[in-house]
Amino acid sequence: MDTRVSPAKHYDIDDPRFRIHPSQQMVSACSGALLTSLFMTPLDVVKTRLQAQQKMLLSNKCFLYCNGLMDHLCPCGTNGILKTTPHLNGTIDAFAKISQSEGIRALWSGLSPTLVLAVPTTVIYFVAYEQLRVHAKDKYTEFHPDCTGTPWWIAMGAGSLGRTIAATIVSPLELVRTKMQSQKLSYWEVGQALKSMVNTQGILGLWTGLRPTLFRDVPFSGIYWTSYESIKALCNVTGSPSFQFSFIGGAVSGSIAAIITTPFDVVKTHKQIELGEKLIYTDTPKKPKNESVFPALESIYRLHGIRGLFAGIIPRLVKVAPACAIMLSSFEYGKAFFHTYNVTQFQRTTPGN
C-alpha cells in the first residue's frame, strides 16, 4: 500500500504540526542503513583493497571500508579476519581473487562491526541532517513564506554539519572497537591501551584520523544533499517524493559526490592504514606522521599519477550509486509513512479536521 495515497499528500511534510519526530526519523534511517550494509559491503571491500595495495601494507594488515560512514581496520593472517590476497588488477579481478584465496565470506568482512557501530552512526547522521534542515528552513520561510522546497545552500550546510557531527561522535568509539578486535582485549586492557594512547597523543589522539575523514565525508555530504535537492527543484518535486524518484535521485546525487571526492577517499584509506600500523596494532603506540591532506594528495599523484588519485573509483561508484539509492529511498519512504501517521493523528485529535 502506497502511504502517499492519502489525505496526508495535501499537507507539507515539513509542517511543524505533524512534522516527523526524531524517533520516527531514526526508524526510517535504520531500515535503510541495514539494507545498505548487507548489500553493499562486498563492493566496499573490493574498493578499499584496490586503494590499500598502493600503500604496500597488506602483507599483515587489512583495511576495510564498510558502508559509507564507517571505516574498519582488521588484523590479517591465520588468527585474524582476513588472509593476504594476490595482487589485484581491477574490480572483476578483485572479486575473483578475494573469493578464491579467502572464500566468498571474505567479501562481507567487517559486516558485524558495521551493523554494531556504523548503522547507529548512519542514524545519527540522517537525524542530524533532518533536524538541521527543517530548523534552517523554518527560519528561511519566516522571510520567504512562498518557499516550498529546501534551498540548495540549506541542504549543503545541513548535510555537511550533520556528517561532521556523526563522524566526530563515532571517531573515539571506532578506535576502541578496532583495538578490541585487533588483539581480543578485555575492557580493562582496552582502558590501559587507551591510557597509553592518550599519554602519547594527548586527549585529541582519540580523534586521530578524523581530519582526513572529514575532508572526504563533509564535501561528499554537502554535494550529495545539494545535488538531490537541486534535482527535486528541477523536476518540480515538492513535499514527499515517490519511491522511484528518490531511488533514482539518490543514485545520481551519490555518483556526483563520489566522483568529486574520490581523491580524498584515497588519502583517507592511506591515512587509516598508517594509523593502524603505528597506533592501533601495536603495544607501543607511535605518533603517526602529521601530513596534511593536500601534501598527501600531491604525494599520491607523484607516485601513482592521476590513476592513483582515483584508485577504486569504479567499485566506489558501483557501490555508492545503489547504496545512496537504497538509503535515501528507504528513508524517504519511512518519512512518508510516518507523515501519513502524524497527519491522521492530528486529524483525529483536532476538531474541525
Coordinates of all heavy atoms in Angstrom, one line a residue, residues 244-294:
Q244 N 10.3 5.8 -6.5 CA 11.1 5.7 -7.7 C 12.0 7.0 -7.9 O 13.2 6.9 -8.2 CB 10.2 5.6 -8.9 CG 9.5 4.3 -9.0 CD 8.1 4.3 -8.2 OE1 7.9 5.2 -7.4 NE2 7.2 3.4 -8.5
F245 N 11.4 8.1 -7.6 CA 12.2 9.4 -7.8 C 13.3 9.4 -6.8 O 14.4 9.8 -7.2 CB 11.2 10.6 -7.6 CG 12.0 11.9 -7.7 CD1 12.1 12.5 -9.0 CD2 12.6 12.5 -6.6 CE1 12.8 13.7 -9.1 CE2 13.3 13.7 -6.8 CZ 13.4 14.3 -8.0
S246 N 13.0 9.1 -5.5 CA 14.1 9.2 -4.5 C 15.2 8.2 -4.8 O 16.3 8.4 -4.5 CB 13.5 9.1 -3.1 OG 12.8 7.9 -3.0
F247 N 14.8 7.0 -5.3 CA 15.8 6.0 -5.7 C 16.7 6.5 -6.7 O 18.0 6.4 -6.6 CB 15.1 4.7 -6.1 CG 15.9 3.5 -6.2 CD1 16.1 2.6 -5.2 CD2 16.6 3.2 -7.4 CE1 16.9 1.5 -5.3 CE2 17.5 2.1 -7.5 CZ 17.6 1.3 -6.5
I248 N 16.2 7.0 -7.8 CA 17.0 7.5 -8.9 C 17.8 8.7 -8.5 O 19.0 8.9 -8.8 CB 16.1 7.8 -10.2 CG1 15.5 6.5 -10.7 CG2 17.0 8.5 -11.3 CD1 14.5 6.7 -11.8
G249 N 17.1 9.6 -7.8 CA 17.7 10.9 -7.3 C 18.9 10.6 -6.4 O 19.9 11.2 -6.5
G250 N 18.7 9.6 -5.5 CA 19.8 9.2 -4.6 C 21.0 8.6 -5.3 O 22.1 8.9 -5.0
A251 N 20.7 7.8 -6.4 CA 21.8 7.2 -7.1 C 22.6 8.3 -7.9 O 23.8 8.3 -7.9 CB 21.2 6.2 -8.1
V252 N 21.9 9.2 -8.5 CA 22.6 10.2 -9.3 C 23.4 11.2 -8.4 O 24.5 11.5 -8.6 CB 21.6 11.0 -10.1 CG1 22.2 12.3 -10.8 CG2 20.9 10.2 -11.2
S253 N 22.7 11.6 -7.3 CA 23.4 12.5 -6.4 C 24.6 11.9 -5.7 O 25.7 12.5 -5.6 CB 22.4 12.9 -5.3 OG 21.3 13.6 -5.8
G254 N 24.5 10.6 -5.3 CA 25.6 9.9 -4.7 C 26.8 9.7 -5.7 O 28.0 9.8 -5.3
S255 N 26.5 9.5 -7.0 CA 27.5 9.3 -8.0 C 28.3 10.6 -8.2 O 29.5 10.6 -8.3 CB 26.9 8.8 -9.3 OG 26.3 7.6 -9.1
I256 N 27.6 11.7 -8.3 CA 28.2 13.0 -8.5 C 29.2 13.3 -7.3 O 30.3 13.7 -7.5 CB 27.2 14.1 -8.6 CG1 26.3 14.0 -9.9 CG2 27.8 15.5 -8.5 CD1 25.2 14.9 -9.9
A257 N 28.7 13.1 -6.1 CA 29.5 13.3 -4.9 C 30.7 12.4 -4.9 O 31.8 12.8 -4.5 CB 28.7 13.2 -3.7
A258 N 30.5 11.1 -5.2 CA 31.6 10.1 -5.2 C 32.7 10.5 -6.1 O 33.9 10.3 -5.8 CB 31.0 8.7 -5.5
I259 N 32.4 10.9 -7.4 CA 33.4 11.2 -8.3 C 34.3 12.3 -7.9 O 35.5 12.3 -7.9 CB 32.7 11.5 -9.7 CG1 32.1 10.3 -10.3 CG2 33.8 12.1 -10.7 CD1 31.2 10.5 -11.5
I260 N 33.6 13.4 -7.4 CA 34.4 14.6 -7.0 C 35.3 14.3 -5.8 O 36.4 14.9 -5.7 CB 33.4 15.7 -6.6 CG1 32.6 16.1 -7.9 CG2 34.1 16.9 -6.0 CD1 31.5 17.1 -7.7
T261 N 34.8 13.5 -4.8 CA 35.6 13.3 -3.6 C 36.4 12.0 -3.5 O 37.0 11.7 -2.5 CB 34.6 13.2 -2.4 OG1 33.6 12.1 -2.6 CG2 33.8 14.5 -2.3
T262 N 36.5 11.3 -4.6 CA 37.4 10.1 -4.6 C 38.8 10.3 -4.2 O 39.4 9.5 -3.4 CB 37.3 9.4 -6.0 OG1 36.0 8.8 -6.2 CG2 38.3 8.2 -6.1
P263 N 39.5 11.4 -4.7 CA 40.9 11.6 -4.2 C 41.0 11.7 -2.7 O 42.0 11.2 -2.1 CB 41.3 12.9 -4.9 CG 40.5 12.9 -6.1 CD 39.1 12.3 -5.7
F264 N 40.0 12.3 -2.0 CA 40.0 12.4 -0.6 C 39.8 11.0 0.0 O 40.3 10.7 1.1 CB 39.0 13.4 -0.1 CG 39.3 14.8 -0.5 CD1 38.5 15.4 -1.5 CD2 40.3 15.5 0.0 CE1 38.7 16.7 -1.9 CE2 40.6 16.8 -0.4 CZ 39.8 17.4 -1.4
D265 N 39.0 10.2 -0.6 CA 38.8 8.9 -0.1 C 40.1 8.0 -0.2 O 40.3 7.3 0.7 CB 37.7 8.2 -1.0 CG 37.3 6.8 -0.5 OD1 37.1 6.7 0.7 OD2 37.1 5.9 -1.3
V266 N 40.9 8.2 -1.2 CA 42.1 7.5 -1.3 C 43.1 8.0 -0.2 O 43.7 7.1 0.4 CB 42.8 7.8 -2.7 CG1 44.2 7.1 -2.8 CG2 41.9 7.2 -3.8
V267 N 43.2 9.3 0.0 CA 44.0 9.8 1.1 C 43.6 9.2 2.4 O 44.4 8.8 3.3 CB 44.0 11.3 1.2 CG1 44.6 11.8 2.4 CG2 44.6 11.9 -0.1
K268 N 42.3 9.1 2.7 CA 41.8 8.6 3.9 C 42.2 7.2 4.1 O 42.5 6.7 5.2 CB 40.3 8.8 4.1 CG 39.8 8.4 5.4 CD 38.3 8.6 5.6 CE 37.9 8.3 7.0 NZ 38.2 7.0 7.4
T269 N 42.1 6.4 3.0 CA 42.5 5.0 3.1 C 44.0 4.9 3.6 O 44.3 4.1 4.5 CB 42.3 4.3 1.7 OG1 40.9 4.4 1.4 CG2 42.7 2.9 1.8
H270 N 44.8 5.6 2.9 CA 46.3 5.6 3.3 C 46.5 6.1 4.7 O 47.3 5.5 5.4 CB 47.0 6.5 2.3 CG 47.1 5.9 0.9 ND1 48.1 6.3 0.0 CD2 46.4 5.1 0.2 CE1 48.0 5.7 -1.1 NE2 46.9 4.9 -1.0
K271 N 45.8 7.1 5.1 CA 46.0 7.6 6.5 C 45.5 6.6 7.5 O 46.2 6.4 8.6 CB 45.1 8.9 6.7 CG 45.7 10.1 5.9 CD 46.9 10.7 6.6 CE 47.3 12.0 5.9 NZ 48.4 12.6 6.6
Q272 N 44.4 5.9 7.3 CA 43.9 5.0 8.2 C 44.8 3.7 8.3 O 44.9 3.1 9.4 CB 42.5 4.6 7.9 CG 41.4 5.7 8.2 CD 41.2 5.9 9.7 OE1 42.1 6.2 10.4 NE2 39.9 5.7 10.1
I273 N 45.4 3.3 7.2 CA 46.3 2.2 7.2 C 47.5 2.6 8.1 O 48.0 1.8 9.0 CB 46.8 1.8 5.8 CG1 45.6 1.3 5.0 CG2 47.9 0.8 5.9 CD1 45.9 1.0 3.6
E274 N 48.1 3.8 7.9 CA 49.2 4.3 8.7 C 48.8 4.3 10.2 O 49.6 4.0 11.1 CB 49.6 5.6 8.2 CG 50.8 6.2 9.0 CD 51.2 7.6 8.5 OE1 50.5 8.1 7.6 OE2 52.1 8.2 9.1
L275 N 47.6 4.8 10.5 CA 47.1 4.8 11.8 C 47.1 3.5 12.5 O 47.5 3.3 13.6 CB 45.7 5.4 11.8 CG 44.9 5.3 13.1 CD1 45.5 6.2 14.2 CD2 43.4 5.8 12.9
G276 N 46.6 2.5 11.7 CA 46.5 1.1 12.3 C 47.9 0.6 12.5 O 48.1 -0.1 13.6
E277 N 48.9 0.8 11.6 CA 50.2 0.3 11.8 C 50.9 0.9 13.0 O 51.6 0.2 13.8 CB 51.0 0.6 10.5 CG 50.6 -0.2 9.3 CD 51.0 -1.7 9.4 OE1 52.0 -1.9 10.1 OE2 50.4 -2.5 8.7
K278 N 50.8 2.2 13.2 CA 51.6 2.9 14.2 C 50.9 3.1 15.6 O 51.5 3.4 16.6 CB 52.0 4.3 13.7 CG 52.9 4.2 12.5 CD 53.4 5.5 12.0 CE 54.4 5.4 10.9 NZ 54.9 6.8 10.5
L279 N 49.5 3.0 15.6 CA 48.8 3.4 16.8 C 47.9 2.3 17.3 O 47.8 2.1 18.5 CB 48.0 4.7 16.5 CG 47.3 5.4 17.7 CD1 48.5 5.9 18.6 CD2 46.5 6.6 17.2
I280 N 47.3 1.6 16.5 CA 46.3 0.6 16.9 C 46.8 -0.8 17.1 O 46.7 -1.4 18.1 CB 45.0 0.6 16.0 CG1 44.4 1.9 16.0 CG2 44.1 -0.5 16.4 CD1 43.2 2.0 15.0
Y281 N 47.5 -1.3 16.0 CA 48.0 -2.7 16.1 C 49.4 -2.7 16.7 O 50.3 -3.3 16.1 CB 48.0 -3.3 14.7 CG 46.6 -3.4 14.1 CD1 46.3 -2.6 13.0 CD2 45.7 -4.2 14.7 CE1 45.0 -2.7 12.5 CE2 44.4 -4.3 14.2 CZ 44.1 -3.6 13.1 OH 42.8 -3.7 12.5
T282 N 49.6 -2.2 17.8 CA 50.9 -2.2 18.5 C 50.7 -2.0 20.0 O 49.7 -1.3 20.4 CB 51.8 -1.1 17.9 OG1 53.1 -1.1 18.6 CG2 51.2 0.3 18.1
D283 N 51.6 -2.5 20.8 CA 51.6 -2.3 22.2 C 52.3 -1.1 22.6 O 52.2 -0.6 23.7 CB 52.2 -3.5 22.9 CG 51.4 -4.8 22.7 OD1 50.1 -4.7 22.7 OD2 52.0 -5.9 22.6
T284 N 53.1 -0.5 21.7 CA 53.8 0.7 22.0 C 53.4 1.8 20.9 O 54.1 1.9 19.9 CB 55.3 0.5 22.0 OG1 55.7 -0.1 20.7 CG2 55.7 -0.5 23.1
P285 N 52.3 2.5 21.1 CA 51.8 3.4 20.1 C 52.9 4.5 19.8 O 53.6 5.0 20.6 CB 50.6 4.1 20.8 CG 50.2 3.1 21.8 CD 51.5 2.5 22.3
K286 N 53.0 4.7 18.5 CA 53.8 5.8 18.0 C 53.0 6.9 17.3 O 52.0 6.5 16.7 CB 54.9 5.2 17.0 CG 55.8 4.2 17.6 CD 56.7 3.6 16.5 CE 57.6 2.5 17.1 NZ 58.5 2.0 16.0
K287 N 53.4 8.1 17.4 CA 52.7 9.2 16.8 C 52.8 9.1 15.3 O 53.9 9.2 14.7 CB 53.2 10.5 17.3 CG 52.3 11.7 16.9 CD 52.7 13.0 17.6 CE 51.8 14.1 17.2 NZ 52.2 15.4 17.9
P288 N 51.6 9.0 14.6 CA 51.7 9.0 13.1 C 52.2 10.3 12.6 O 52.1 11.3 13.2 CB 50.2 8.7 12.7 CG 49.6 8.2 13.9 CD 50.3 8.8 15.1
K289 N 52.8 10.2 11.4 CA 53.3 11.4 10.7 C 52.1 12.3 10.4 O 51.1 11.9 9.8 CB 54.0 11.0 9.4 CG 54.6 12.2 8.7 CD 55.4 11.7 7.5 CE 54.6 10.9 6.5 NZ 55.4 10.6 5.3
N290 N 52.2 13.6 10.9 CA 51.1 14.5 10.7 C 51.2 15.2 9.4 O 51.5 16.4 9.3 CB 51.1 15.6 11.9 CG 49.9 16.4 11.9 OD1 48.9 16.1 11.4 ND2 50.0 17.6 12.5
E291 N 50.9 14.5 8.3 CA 50.9 15.0 7.0 C 49.5 15.5 6.6 O 48.5 14.8 6.8 CB 51.4 14.0 6.0 CG 51.5 14.5 4.6 CD 51.9 13.4 3.6 OE1 51.6 12.2 3.9 OE2 52.4 13.7 2.5
S292 N 49.4 16.7 6.2 CA 48.1 17.3 5.9 C 47.6 16.6 4.6 O 48.3 15.9 3.9 CB 48.1 18.8 5.7 OG 49.0 19.1 4.6
V293 N 46.3 16.9 4.3 CA 45.6 16.2 3.2 C 46.2 16.6 1.8 O 46.4 15.7 1.0 CB 44.1 16.5 3.3 CG1 43.4 15.9 2.0 CG2 43.5 15.9 4.5
F294 N 46.4 17.8 1.6 CA 46.8 18.2 0.2 C 48.2 17.8 -0.1 O 48.5 17.3 -1.2 CB 46.6 19.7 0.1 CG 45.2 20.1 0.0 CD1 44.6 20.7 1.1 CD2 44.4 19.9 -1.1 CE1 43.2 21.1 1.1 CE2 43.1 20.2 -1.1 CZ 42.5 20.8 0.0

